[in-house]
Amino acid sequence: MAAGSCLLLLLLPWLVTASHSPPGCKIRITSKGLDLVKQEGLRFVEQELQNITMPDVHGKEGQFHYNISQVKVMDLQLAFSDLHFQPQQHLVFNISNASISLRFRRQLLYWFFYDIGSINASADGVHIHTVLQLAKDEAGRLKISNMTCNASIARMHAGFSGTLRTVYEFLSTFIITGMRFLLSQQICPSLEHASLVLLNSVLDTVPVRNYVDEHIGIDYSLLRDPAISTDTLDLDFKGMFFPRARENQELENHAVEPVIKETERMVYVAFSEYFFDSAMHSYFQAGVLAIELQGEKVPKDLEVLLRATFFGTIFMQSPAVDAPLRLVLQVSAPPRCIIKPSGTSVSVSAFLNISLVPPGRPAIQLSSMAMETKLSAKVFLQGKALRVQLDLRRFRIYSKQSALESLALFSLQAPLKTLLQLTIMPIINERTKKGVQIPLPEGMDFTKEVVTNHAGFLTVGADLHFSKGLREVIEKYRPAPTTPTYPSSWPAEPSMDPHQL
């Protein structure tokens, strides 16, 4: 028993570490961001409540028969509303002292008197309290997993007119009580459908695991349920790229975990070195970090210098003196990203093979040199795309054969650096120009972005902007309705005969 306890104590630190995998990408939504979401959410709630459908109300009081039908919400006044975080995983949405205006059709039979028309009613002092529970689903996507709702109506009034106005006022207690009860019973089911079905369909637009280009993809699955405080909502994403040829490959994360302390902006997105390292590791495994230049693609000045540098070798292979040159630049190991408060850089190790390619004959290798470069990286956000602009900062070449050859290659240092700057770097930056999408729902974009570097990670602080409304996104992804099958005979319209009331 004691031995088992000791073993558990030894394994406990490892178990804790294993259960808390560090995120490659982290998003924080602050109270300021929630205020913007509330504005859009309130418009959405108004639209949903306006679509409330209610069953008919009918009854009998002595010789009075009444029927209320075709209830329609005409107007809503949701003046007082509040949306706030509630630890540990909840959002609380409150509407207080709201009013709902209704119109419905009336039918009344009193002895031989029959009356038909419309009634305008108003529900005042409407209070709605909803709590949304947020969680990670099986696919690693943020979802509204549960909702609790309470709705109440303090007062309800109706205006009557017509020949039997006095009769209606006598019956108003029965009619209004029934309408008040039915309306309060319809509010929560409507909001529950809006949350668990419609809002979750918007969250379905967040990219979880998708392709970036023809070579790599990215995994934005949530590592755990969201962490909610009174002022913030934090989401930990895996943030790992993968080669499309090996989609199930996992790259272990040893980078520093991003830590977001700021709350001044609406949203913060943090990326660790692991995020960028996994991208470069995936490109390396996909075999695309290589460029070949041959013949006319080799800059003329560089070609003349290379032929002069390797004159002795070319002279010994005299039949191939006029053969085209071929340069093959290939990364020899996955590049590494280094993020410091002073800036972001990328270290790259590569080799450059220089060969002559005589027509119809095997290639003649002139030299194989190693290269070590350091690129400065400018990371910026545009819309929802994270982009990187690279620039050559440091460059060194040396021979893999001997120190003497390394000395001979010294004259090639400057022209090869120029080759990289003018020919290779534009090709690389063209590939990174598209960027990668940040995991936000469709219709929501970043504005006023500011990038800040830290030790081992960087953060992007921004404000949010709705380029599309929630309703627009929902309608775009709403499943197409199936064609209903109608019976051979259509149902009859509601009867206007008072004897059928």
Side-chain angles (χ1 to χ4, degrees):
M1 182 71 178
S5 300
C6 291
L7 180 61
L8 181 61
L9 289 174
L10 290 173
L11 290 176
L12 187 59
W14 180 85
L15 291 173
V16 172
T17 303
S19 64
H20 187 84
S21 303
C25 172
K26 190 167 190 172
I27 291 182
R28 162 170 288 184
I29 299 175
T30 67
S31 295
K32 291 183 179 179
L34 200 61
D35 288 340
L36 179 68
V37 174
K38 186 191 79 171
Q39 297 173 19
E40 182 63 29
L42 195 60
R43 284 192 290 268
F44 174 67
V45 169
E46 289 178 350
Q47 293 167 351
E48 288 301 303
L49 293 180
Q50 285 177 342
N51 294 326
I52 285 179
T53 58
M54 296 174 55
D56 295 351
V57 179
H58 55 84
K60 177 183 177 182
E61 295 296 331
Q63 297 300 319
F64 297 101
H65 300 255
Y66 61 90
N67 185 52
I68 302 299
S69 60
Q70 301 177 13
V71 181
K72 184 178 181 181
V73 176
M74 303 303 296
D75 185 44
L76 291 99
Q77 296 294 329
L78 309 181
F80 303 99
S81 62
D82 174 60
L83 178 65
H84 63 268
F85 297 118
Q86 177 177 292
Q88 302 291 327
Q89 294 173 234
H90 299 93
L91 287 177
V92 178
F93 184 53
N94 289 319
I95 294 175
S96 58
N97 203 27
S99 63
I100 303 176
S101 298
L102 304 171
R103 175 177 292 177
F104 45 88
R105 181 175 179 265
R106 71 173 189 260
Q107 287 176 297
L108 176 68
L109 175 65
Y110 176 62
W111 291 99
F112 299 104
F113 296 97
Y114 177 65
D115 185 50
I116 185 172
S118 61
I119 299 177
N120 293 323
S122 174
D124 299 321
V126 180
H127 295 270
I128 306 172
H129 176 76
T130 58
V131 179
L132 306 178
Q133 182 175 359
L134 304 179
K136 174 182 77 75
D137 69 4
E138 293 181 356
R141 179 179 276 112
L142 179 67
K143 282 298 183 71
I144 301 172
S145 61
N146 192 24
M147 173 187 171
T148 58
C149 175
N150 293 296
S152 63
I153 300 175
R155 301 169 302 280
M156 194 159 186
H157 308 281
F160 301 100
S161 61
T163 57
L164 299 180
R165 175 181 178 182
T166 304
V167 175
Y168 269 106
E169 290 177 348
F170 172 74
L171 295 173
S172 64
T173 302
F174 305 103
I175 297 174
I176 295 305
T177 300
M179 291 297 299
R180 175 182 169 188
F181 173 78
L182 287 176
L183 179 59
S184 63
Q185 291 298 305
Q186 295 300 316
I187 291 175
C188 283
S190 176
L191 295 182
E192 183 175 353
H193 176 265
S195 300
L196 299 181
V197 178
L198 301 183
L199 289 183
N200 273 336
S201 71
V202 176
L203 293 176
D204 282 337
T205 65
V206 177
V208 172
R209 189 177 177 89
N210 62 323
Y211 295 141
V212 176
D213 54 30
E214 64 271 24
H215 305 294
I216 68 171
I218 187 167
D219 188 339
Y220 272 132
S221 58
L222 281 171
L223 295 174
R224 55 193 64 88
D225 289 335
I228 298 180
S229 69
T230 55
D231 299 314
T232 60
L233 182 152
D234 288 341
L235 301 168
D236 290 348
F237 298 92
K238 180 180 285 188
M240 183 197 76
F241 292 83
F242 57 86
R244 291 182 58 169
R246 305 174 189 176
E247 292 196 11
N248 295 323
Q249 176 178 282
E250 292 283 337
L251 182 64
E252 196 169 351
N253 187 353
H254 298 291
V256 173
E257 179 174 348
V259 177
I260 304 176
K261 298 181 180 179
E262 299 87 351
T263 58
E264 290 78 17
R265 306 296 294 275
M266 291 185 181
V267 64
Y268 291 89
V269 188
F271 304 93
S272 75
E273 293 174 344
Y274 172 80
F275 180 86
F276 302 100
D277 283 347
S278 66
M280 294 181 289
H281 189 273
S282 298
Y283 274 124
F284 177 77
Q285 289 201 319
V288 296
L289 299 184
I291 296 176
E292 180 177 313
L293 301 176
Q294 182 173 322
E296 295 181 355
K297 292 185 178 180
V298 180
K300 196 64 180 177
D301 294 344
L302 179 62
E303 180 182 2
V304 172
L305 183 59
L306 289 174
R307 289 183 181 275
T309 302
F310 299 106
F311 180 80
T313 306
I314 297 174
F315 182 78
M316 295 298 294
Q317 305 287 341
S318 56
V321 169
D322 294 329
L325 277 175
R326 180 172 65 191
L327 309 182
V328 178
L329 177 63
Q330 185 167 348
V331 174
S332 56
R336 295 298 305 274
C337 175
I338 302 170
I339 303 176
K340 297 180 179 180
S342 57
T344 303
S345 62
V346 178
S347 297
V348 184
S349 297
F351 59 82
L352 176 64
N353 288 334
I354 303 175
S355 307
L356 287 172
V357 190
R361 294 182 56 186
I364 303 170
Q365 182 167 307
L366 301 179
S367 179
S368 178
M369 61 186 74
M371 301 174 55
E372 291 182 357
T373 61
K374 182 162 281 190
L375 310 175
S376 61
K378 179 184 177 183
V379 181
F380 60 97
L381 205 58
Q382 188 170 5
K384 274 190 295 192
L386 182 73
R387 299 180 178 179
V388 180
Q389 180 80 23
L390 297 171
D391 188 28
L392 183 61
R393 190 169 71 184
R394 234 170 22 195
F395 173 78
R396 184 174 76 91
I397 59 172
Y398 58 93
S399 173
K400 296 165 63 177
Q401 276 75 34
S402 67
L404 184 61
E405 187 175 3
S406 295
L407 184 62
L409 294 175
F410 185 77
S411 61
L412 294 176
Q413 186 92 12
L416 284 178
K417 184 176 182 180
T418 302
L419 170 70
L420 289 175
Q421 289 176 323
L422 300 181
T423 306
I424 308 302
M425 294 308 300
I427 296 175
I428 295 174
N429 283 321
E430 184 63 30
R431 290 181 178 178
T432 61
K433 184 178 180 179
K434 181 181 177 182
V436 60
Q437 185 178 353
I438 304 303
L440 278 184
E442 183 173 339
M444 185 179 290
D445 295 320
F446 296 107
T447 61
K448 303 176 183 178
E449 309 89 348
V450 176
V451 179
T452 305
N453 279 46
H454 305 271
F457 65 95
L458 59 85
T459 60
V460 183
D463 290 336
L464 291 173
H465 165 70
F466 278 96
S467 58
K468 296 180 182 178
L470 288 175
R471 178 64 57 187
E472 183 180 353
V473 177
I474 288 170
E475 293 301 327
K476 178 179 178 180
Y477 292 97
R478 187 189 296 273
T482 56
T483 304
T485 56
Y486 297 103
S488 56
S489 61
W490 290 81
E493 293 292 330
S495 173
M496 298 294 291
D497 186 354
H499 296 287
Q500 296 187 22
L501 285 176

